[in-house]
């Protein structure tokens, strides 16, 4: 086990599947104590077992990021178990595909509640302890969608991820005086459980064809960028987002890809 995160405590929302699972594993393998936050415990138990087998330390907290009480209790549980919150990797998010003509207010509100309101609530809950300690690293999983690209069926999602980037910039300014950095990772198309179930095979094939590197990314590709942004090597970086997308947002046309 490497030790770049020795003595650090990290909360990873949505940390039991997909990108979040990658983040949980990478931080644990670097010595961090990891609190995994999800709504259902089966996946979390599996990830924690894997982390423990590899010599790491992790536990889970059941909560919904769109629920204020759950987020406040999440922060409380982390402080009770591990004494502090050094790092928040706020990663939980949903991307159910529905085109505008069929999109209902309920669809819109669900995605906004989880992705955007959830970001606000998770950060608000962790801030007091970070301010008290005059130390904190917040890394939010944003997306290329809504910031560098658009995608049919994801107008609600794109709006939330654009909002997340706006939030990152202002939160970074407000928290800078407390030695807290706020940054984001913008995944391109990463092969995860959610990608398979929410967007499907046809979507995945179309995405692959538009990626200069010719394939989707892996959760750990995002996790290593989050690890860097949460490390002390990145102490002077704040308010930034990094696209990790195999070059997907570079080509001016499909001709440029092949
Ligand atoms: P995923 O495979 O569906 O996993 C999502 C995780 O978040 C699960 O552990 C899920 O667990 C948890 N979660 C969902 N809603 C939650 C809620 N309301 N409260 C607490 N936990 C919740 O998704 P993913 O593909 O890894 O995506 C993770 C993040 O990356 C999202 O923010 C997504 O927008 C972003 N992203 C993904 C891609 C991609 O290509 N995959 C691209 C760009 C951005 P439970 O269901 O048990 O709660």
């Amino acid at each position: 086990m490497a030790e770049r995160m020795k003595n650090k405590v990290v909360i990873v929302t949505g940390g039991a599947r997909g990108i979040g699972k990658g983040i949980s594993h990478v931080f644990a393998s670097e010595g961090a104590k990891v609190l995994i936050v999800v709504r259902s415990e089966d996946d979390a138990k599996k990830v924690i077992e894997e982390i423990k087998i590899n010599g790491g330390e992790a536990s889970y907290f059941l909560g919904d990021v769109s629920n204020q009480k759950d987020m406040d209790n999440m922060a409380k549980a982390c402080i009770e178990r591990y004494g502090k919150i050094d790092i928040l990797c706020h990663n939980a998010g949903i991307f159910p595909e529905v085109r505008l003509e069929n999109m209902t207010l309920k669809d819109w509100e669900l995605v906004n509640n989880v992705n955007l309101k959830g970001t606000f609530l998770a950060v608000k809950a962790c801030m007091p302890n970070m301010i008290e300690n005059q130390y904190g690293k917040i890394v939010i999983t944003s997306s290329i969608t809504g910031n560098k690209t658009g995608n049919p069926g994801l107008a609600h999602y794109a709006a939330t991820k654009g909002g997340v980037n706006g939030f990152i910039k202002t939160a970074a300014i407000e928290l800078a005086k407390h030695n807290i950095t706020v940054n984001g990772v913008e995944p391109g198309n990463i092969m995860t459980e959610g990608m398979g179930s929410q967007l499907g095979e046809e979507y995945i094939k179309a995405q692959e064809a538009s990626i200069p590197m010719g394939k989707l990314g892996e959760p750990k590709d995002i996790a290593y960028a989050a690890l860097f942004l949460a490390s002390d090597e990145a102490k002077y970086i704040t308010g930034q987002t990094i696209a990790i997308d195999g070059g997907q947002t570079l080509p001016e046309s499909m001709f440029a890809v092949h």
Side-chain angles (χ1 to χ4, degrees):
M1 189 194 288
E3 300 207 317
R4 287 172 72 191
M5 288 287 150
K6 195 176 171 204
N7 298 326
K8 296 284 192 260
V9 174
V10 58
I11 292 177
V12 185
T13 65
R17 278 205 318 257
I19 291 171
K21 177 161 104 180
I23 294 174
S24 298
H25 274 297
V26 164
F27 276 71
S29 74
E30 292 285 342
K33 297 182 179 84
V34 183
L35 183 71
I36 295 173
V37 181
V38 279
R39 293 167 303 180
S40 49
E41 62 188 353
D42 288 358
D43 294 336
K45 280 183 174 164
K46 244 184 267 160
V47 176
I48 287 163
E49 205 180 296
E50 290 164 8
I51 286 175
K52 288 191 170 158
I53 287 169
N54 293 329
E57 186 166 345
S59 63
Y60 69 90
F61 176 84
L62 286 185
D64 185 329
V65 297
S66 65
N67 181 301
Q68 186 169 22
K69 224 186 225 158
D70 286 0
M71 290 300 91
D72 290 346
N73 286 335
M74 163 192 85
K76 238 187 253 165
C78 187
I79 296 161
E80 273 165 24
R81 278 181 219 179
Y82 300 123
K84 57 179 181 167
I85 306 166
D86 293 307
I87 301 158
L88 167 66
C89 287
H90 176 60
N91 163 82
I94 54 170
F95 35 94
E97 193 182 11
V98 52
R99 298 236 174 175
L100 276 176
E101 53 188 342
N102 297 321
M103 191 180 288
T104 62
L105 182 58
K106 203 170 154 205
D107 295 325
W108 176 266
E109 285 178 344
L110 173 68
V111 173
N112 268 268
N113 280 340
V114 175
N115 295 2
L116 198 49
K117 182 173 138 193
T119 299
F120 166 67
L121 294 177
V123 170
K124 273 289 279 183
C126 295
M127 266 172 56
N129 186 257
M130 290 179 173
I131 290 173
E132 196 183 319
N133 298 335
Q134 291 291 292
Y135 183 91
K137 311 273 183 202
I138 297 171
V139 182
I140 301 174
T141 306
S142 182
S143 179
I144 57 168
T145 309
N147 291 300
K148 297 185 168 59
T149 61
N151 224 333
L154 293 176
H156 48 1
Y157 175 81
T160 64
K161 295 298 185 176
V164 161
N165 280 24
F167 176 87
I168 287 171
K169 290 187 183 77
T170 299
I173 296 171
E174 291 191 21
L175 295 175
K177 61 176 177 290
H178 299 295
N179 192 30
I180 299 168
T181 61
V182 188
N183 292 293
V185 285
E186 290 174 1
N189 280 275
I190 309 300
M191 198 51 229
T192 64
E193 292 88 331
M195 166 74 75
S197 65
Q198 294 181 71
L199 299 173
E201 195 61 31
E202 203 182 329
Y203 173 92
I204 291 169
K205 283 218 157 67
Q207 293 298 333
E208 275 171 352
S210 72
I211 300 171
M213 286 188 169
K215 58 182 180 197
L216 268 57
E218 298 169 19
K220 283 196 176 172
D221 295 326
I222 309 305
Y224 283 115
L227 181 75
F228 169 64
L229 290 171
S231 73
D232 287 333
E233 285 96 333
K235 68 181 168 36
Y236 203 55
I237 301 175
T238 197
Q240 305 304 309
T241 51
I242 304 180
I244 304 135
D245 67 353
Q248 189 172 15
T249 49
L250 297 174
E252 290 183 13
S253 71
M254 286 303 284
F255 179 75
V257 182
H258 301 291

